[in-house]
Amino acid sequence: YEADRLANPAERAATLAVMFEHLAETDPSSAAQLAATELFVPDRELHNRVWAIWATADFEDALTNAAVLGGEIERRNAARALYLATEDIESPQAKRIEEVLGIVPDRLVRMRFIERMADRSLLDAVEFLNALPNGQSKQDYSAWLGYHLATVNPGAFDLLESSGLNGSSKSVMRYTRTRIEAMGDPLAAVQVALADPQALQNGEFTMAIQHYADRDPAAALEFVKSMPPGGPKNQALNAVFAEIGAEDPERGLTLARQLETESGNGRMVVSYLSSIARSHPEFVLEQANSLKGREAQSLPMMVISTLAYLGEPERAVEALASITHPTMRLSAERSLAQGWARTDPRAATAWLQTLP
């Protein structure tokens, strides 16, 4: 407990690590109990290290003691530490942990697994990813590996081009790398993504410009205005508008009107309002009522869908009154009913019965 009072964080951590390692080697049960106390719970690495030492010395003994821990949280923490100690969630030891404790590897364990595999052999990690079926798990592993490589070994991305990594994983990893780069230097990330057709298709450019707009909205808008006409510019404008409008919808509307006049693009205001339909649905609905044109008429329906998605069907019902076109109203009613049914099917059914 004297070591815990050391003022220097680095000295405290180093001293505690030595003490806990020594205790874990001589009396692992006591070390694990001490590491789980309220005083040391924040020091998660101490807890993990104790169980790792215990598992290395006598895996079955460590597993047996983990199984008799009283609290669910304690058992899960022990399971995580044991999984991390095995280094391979497909090993016989990992299977034993799941069998005895009934706890599968959590997100942190699976993330560490793919990182360690890549550190040993990037090609093995690629082979592992390629063997996974498409789905959330594959996306998670790809994103974790992408983050790991972007922060630890950026040069490894060059090897991916010839590694045989399949398309879905490669896209996720590229997107993750661009996100990391955009967090550091958004303008550089924007310029790199803009020059890469695959980055444009993969959404990397739009994401990078969002980071740029979040960091410096005025500079981001000027950059986008200097771009040649076309799809990328329209994507970028919507991204910048969404960032500006999320904070100040009136300012964003003023900018959209100004750009609409300057560019002669009559869809600028509608595009802007579409981009903030989720963050400011009532503002969009108010503005939509003063606009003309078929595209403007679709805005109330977009707001209704958004409100239903956000779990606010009562506000969506109020918004229905602004739609007079029969076909569009029917479509909006269908969208609202579907969104409402996901959260409260009884209320959605009761509302449907009130319709003519």
Side-chain angles (χ1 to χ4, degrees), residues 13-79:
T15 303
L16 286 174
V18 171
M19 295 177 65
F20 269 91
E21 285 185 12
H22 176 71
L23 183 59
E25 290 170 352
T26 57
D27 187 354
S29 178
S30 296
Q33 291 177 24
L34 183 59
T37 60
E38 185 177 350
L39 182 62
F40 297 112
V41 163
D43 299 282
R44 180 55 52 198
E45 287 304 316
L46 288 177
H47 179 271
N48 292 343
R49 183 61 182 149
V50 166
W51 283 95
I53 292 173
W54 196 350
T56 300
D58 191 334
F59 177 79
E60 286 298 329
D61 184 50
L63 186 57
T64 299
N65 279 269
V68 298
L69 291 173
E72 178 67 15
I73 293 178
E74 288 180 298
R75 292 176 66 253
R76 289 193 173 278
N77 287 339

Side-chain angles (χ1 to χ4, degrees), residues 133-145:
N134 291 330
Q136 188 60 50
S137 180
K138 186 168 190 168
Q139 289 186 6
D140 288 342
Y141 276 117
S142 300
W144 293 329
L145 181 56

Side-chain angles (χ1 to χ4, degrees), residues 315-339:
R315 290 171 63 195
V317 171
E318 294 176 3
L320 272 174
S322 65
I323 302 180
T324 58
H325 191 282
T327 303
M328 293 183 66
R329 183 180 178 88
L330 180 62
S331 179
E333 290 172 346
R334 184 183 300 114
S335 178
L336 170 54
Q338 291 172 345

Side-chain angles (χ1 to χ4, degrees), residues 5-6 37 40 44-45 63 73 107 138 157-158 166 169 244 246-248 262 288 317 320-321 355:
R5 297 191 180 96
L6 291 173
T37 60
F40 297 112
R44 180 55 52 198
E45 287 304 316
L63 186 57
I73 293 178
R107 289 177 63 85
K138 186 168 190 168
F157 274 93
D158 295 333
N166 67 25
S169 291
I244 295 174
E247 297 294 329
D248 188 345
E262 293 175 356
V317 171
L320 272 174
L355 298 177

Side-chain angles (χ1 to χ4, degrees), residues 114-116 118-119 143-154 176:
I114 192 68
E115 290 175 352
R116 289 166 171 172
D119 289 341
W144 293 329
L145 181 56
Y147 181 87
H148 180 64
L149 295 181
T151 53
V152 176
N153 186 15
T176 303

Side-chain angles (χ1 to χ4, degrees), residues 63-354:
L63 186 57
T64 299
N65 279 269
V68 298
L69 291 173
E72 178 67 15
I73 293 178
E74 288 180 298
R75 292 176 66 253
R76 289 193 173 278
N77 287 339
R80 170 186 286 178
L82 289 173
Y83 274 123
L84 290 173
T86 67
E87 296 194 357
D88 185 351
I89 58 175
E90 297 184 324
S91 68
Q93 285 188 333
K95 299 302 180 184
R96 280 285 291 157
I97 296 171
E98 183 176 347
E99 175 188 337
V100 174
L101 301 183
I103 298 172
V104 299
D106 62 14
R107 289 177 63 85
L108 176 62
V109 171
R110 290 183 287 123
M111 179 175 68
R112 291 285 183 266
F113 163 70
I114 192 68
E115 290 175 352
R116 289 166 171 172
M117 180 182 287
D119 289 341
R120 294 193 301 267
S121 170
L122 183 59
L123 291 180
D124 285 349
V126 167
E127 184 177 345
F128 172 80
L129 288 176
N130 285 344
L132 291 174
N134 291 330
Q136 188 60 50
S137 180
K138 186 168 190 168
Q139 289 186 6
D140 288 342
Y141 276 117
S142 300
W144 293 329
L145 181 56
Y147 181 87
H148 180 64
L149 295 181
T151 53
V152 176
N153 186 15
F157 274 93
D158 295 333
L159 300 176
L160 292 177
E161 296 301 323
S162 58
S163 67
L165 182 66
N166 67 25
S168 60
S169 291
K170 187 180 295 186
S171 296
V172 171
M173 291 177 64
R174 282 175 52 99
Y175 188 93
T176 303
R177 177 185 62 177
T178 301
R179 179 170 60 84
I180 298 300
E181 293 172 346
M183 291 170 63
D185 188 344
L187 176 57
V190 166
Q191 292 171 329
V192 170
L194 183 59
D196 185 345
Q198 191 171 350
L200 291 172
Q201 184 178 0
N202 195 31
E204 297 168 45
F205 170 69
T206 301
M207 178 268 296
I209 201 73
Q210 286 173 336
H211 278 278
Y212 191 21
D214 182 60
R215 179 82 60 86
D216 190 341
L221 183 60
E222 287 304 312
F223 178 87
V224 174
K225 287 168 65 175
S226 69
M227 292 173 59
K233 182 172 186 175
N234 294 336
Q235 293 176 25
L237 278 173
N238 287 336
V240 173
F241 281 157
E243 290 295 325
I244 295 174
E247 297 294 329
D248 188 345
E250 286 285 359
R251 178 168 176 260
L253 180 60
T254 300
L255 289 171
R257 285 173 172 161
Q258 177 185 342
L259 283 173
E260 186 170 279
T261 301
E262 293 175 356
S263 66
N265 183 347
R267 299 182 62 256
M268 201 70 70
V269 170
V270 173
S271 294
Y272 164 68
L273 293 174
S274 299
S275 71
I276 63 168
R278 185 170 182 176
S279 58
H280 295 282
E282 291 173 334
F283 178 83
V284 173
L285 191 60
E286 178 185 346
Q287 297 301 320
N289 291 330
S290 64
L291 297 175
K292 298 180 181 180
R294 184 170 182 81
E295 290 182 340
Q297 291 176 355
S298 68
L299 286 172
M301 188 165 63
M302 179 182 297
V303 170
I304 289 167
S305 300
T306 299
L307 290 173
Y309 175 80
L310 294 176
E312 301 181 49
E314 292 81 4
R315 290 171 63 195
V317 171
E318 294 176 3
L320 272 174
S322 65
I323 302 180
T324 58
H325 191 282
T327 303
M328 293 183 66
R329 183 180 178 88
L330 180 62
S331 179
E333 290 172 346
R334 184 183 300 114
S335 178
L336 170 54
Q338 291 172 345
W340 199 346
R342 283 195 293 267
T343 57
D344 191 343
R346 289 187 177 181
T349 301
W351 171 72
L352 283 171
Q353 291 173 348
T354 67

